[in-house]
Amino acid sequence: MHVIGTAGHVDHGKSTLTQALTGINPDRLIEEQRRAMTIDLGFAWLDLPNGERVGIIDVPGHRDFIENMLAGVGGIDAALLVIAADEGIMPQTREHLAILDLLAVPTGLIALTKIDLITDPDWLDLVQLDILDTVQGTLLEGKPILPVSARTGEGLDQLRLAITTMLEHQPTRPNRGTPRLPIDRVFTVGGFGVVVTGTLRDGPLTVGQSVEVQPGGLQARIRGLQSHEQSLASVEPGQRVAVNLRNLEKSDLARGQVLGLPGLWQPTLLLDAWLRYLPDAHLPLDHDDPIKLFIGTAEVMGHVRILDRERVSPGDQSWIQLRLDDPVVAAYGDHFILRRASPPETIGGGIILDPAPGRRWKRFRPEVIERFETLYQGDPMQTALLFLSQQPAPLRRAAVTLTPAQIDQAAGSLILLDDWVFHIDLWSRLLDHTIRLLTAFHAAEPLRAGMPPESLRSQLRLDSEVFDLFLQELARQQHLVLDNGLVRLPHHTVHLSLAQEEMLRRLKRDFEQSPSTPPTFSQARDIVGDALLNYLLEQGELVRISPEVLLTPSVLREWIDFSRHQLNQGAPLTVASLRDHFQTTRRYALDFLERLDALNITKRKGDERLRGSADWSKIGYS
């Protein structure tokens, strides 16, 4: 699956050509249809002669809507530069071409439209010569120029064939196992709820998956997936995708956010980057100048920090750090565009080298410049390790862009647990966080033997599979202890005060004096308090049968043995038989038998209990 984006000056026929090729009017807004001018992004699809269905993003050409155009071209595989034969190269033609070049769109074609308006062949030749001159040194240098007429249909078949040939040589988007969907549209569908659309990158999405939208940390689940109005169980990178989300409202979402897997993509206010400043920019770029950044589908204001020179002149290249007013989601290697807000002007663009540097670099430092140069050269080992070091969670091996030999070579920087890969920095962060969480838990709950693992996992925000491996490894390294289903630090022990020990002795006396009608949960809590009662339950010194009934393990064993014997002998097991045998009350006997029913150890038939399908071990004692 590939996606094409149109580009070109206003009124040069981008939307008309899209509709002629696809039969779909990309101008979906009433205002667009009234003014016969594209204002926002439009979407369509084209079935090529080889059977591939190609997505088309139709962008506005008017200079007032150039920023809407930028939200559409970041994820395309090829550009279709549209130039009207009656006007030729115009200002937005040049600006769109510069943007396509800055974004390093892989390939493209030139559609020379409205040829039905031209009667002088010499004029058509002049226009084509001007186009050839304009595209020199850009991604469209040497690309074919296809004369077409959307009105008469002339040249459309040749254009479809040229698009087919172009995309057959264009690789599909890589699957890194780290899906992200830059959102370019949000709407609702009656009976289904909120839908977001975009061009999927880096990994697949599947119906039923839990996802997260950043910035914002919004949690949701995928209810449905569509690509070009076809419902799908899963979608692959490179596809135009509509995602129906549960648990979110339209007001929660906006263009510029990114949908991905929980914990995988984190927003940032700092970006390290390489900048190419356009030769025809009207003014130099000074340190800390205000700029407007366009990345993915996001648009955000910020300031540029120039690290390797005093100022950037038109035509220069520079190492920069972008300090943003609002967070964005970005990845190493993403392309971006910079514009001045006033007067509005596209001034340059480049490549993200570090999406989360975490600090402001001092200017003119050789070690900083060396770091930028290393990242720019794209050494696979260095960039992969940098990417791993900034992840909030480990990745599966399949998502790591390193060969097994490279992973072995990077052994000092990586920790492998089964199918999971941790950078040593991430491991250290997770270890420190785990120790802090357990220390805080022990301080807040000194009478509890340990922290429930699920509580720790939710705060670390780790997948359950990798969390279990992580805990086992920390226990092996003696950073923590796994004891009786709880997690604790090695030095943690429960120490009771003299007053607490006296309260325990009193409660134990009460249980010994009335073993089958002991204090209820509420009564026990009044005697020893919540913390000490929870300690007794965690230590297994008491067992909670129901919200109010507590028994000691020895009494519970006697009740289980009696009940099992009754059932094995075919004798009736009833509330009355249990009550009378142990001289307890109806309440205690009924709560115990209802617990057996709930666990399916027994099943009720009238006033009697019969043997159920579950094993006795389900109650906690075999």
Side-chain angles (χ1 to χ4, degrees), residues 43 181-187 195-199 240-243:
F43 306 99
L181 184 78
I183 296 171
D184 55 33
R185 189 180 172 210
V186 182
F187 57 94
V195 176
V196 299
T197 69
T199 302
R240 284 291 307 169
V241 180
V243 186

Side-chain angles (χ1 to χ4, degrees), residues 216-233:
L218 305 172
Q219 304 295 311
R221 188 175 295 275
I222 297 178
R223 181 177 186 177
L225 292 168
Q226 283 194 355
S227 183
H228 306 315
E229 298 185 354
Q230 290 186 340
S231 294
L232 301 169

Side-chain angles (χ1 to χ4, degrees), residues 189-211:
V189 176
F192 291 92
V194 68
V195 176
V196 299
T197 69
T199 302
L200 184 60
R201 304 181 184 183
D202 297 336
L205 291 175
T206 304
V207 172
Q209 244 176 345
S210 295
V211 291

Side-chain angles (χ1 to χ4, degrees), residues 338-461:
L338 294 187
R339 283 174 59 83
R340 289 192 190 275
S342 181
E345 176 191 11
T346 301
I347 56 176
I351 301 171
I352 300 300
L353 302 180
D354 189 344
R359 57 179 291 190
R360 296 187 192 183
W361 304 110
K362 292 186 177 181
R363 303 178 69 194
F364 312 118
R365 292 296 181 93
E367 67 275 13
V368 173
I369 304 306
E370 182 180 354
R371 176 180 180 275
F372 274 64
E373 289 172 344
T374 299
L375 291 172
Y376 181 73
Q377 289 165 5
D379 177 80
M381 177 78 74
Q382 295 299 322
T383 55
L385 291 177
L386 175 65
F387 175 72
L388 281 167
S389 72
Q390 294 167 344
Q391 295 308 300
L395 299 180
R396 291 192 181 275
R397 287 196 189 212
V400 178
T401 57
L402 290 175
T403 66
Q406 288 173 324
I407 289 178
D408 291 341
Q409 185 181 345
S413 300
L414 301 178
I415 292 176
L416 307 180
L417 289 185
D418 198 13
D419 191 40
W420 297 88
V421 182
F422 296 73
H423 191 277
I424 190 67
D425 293 348
L426 170 61
W427 181 272
S428 298
R429 293 198 301 269
L430 287 173
L431 174 59
D432 290 346
H433 194 188
T434 300
I435 300 302
R436 288 198 303 272
L437 289 172
L438 289 174
T439 301
F441 181 85
H442 292 327
E445 304 280 355
L447 295 182
R448 298 192 65 179
M451 187 177 190
E454 183 56 29
S455 175
L456 180 60
R457 187 192 73 80
S458 66
Q459 293 183 73
L460 291 175
R461 302 185 70 184

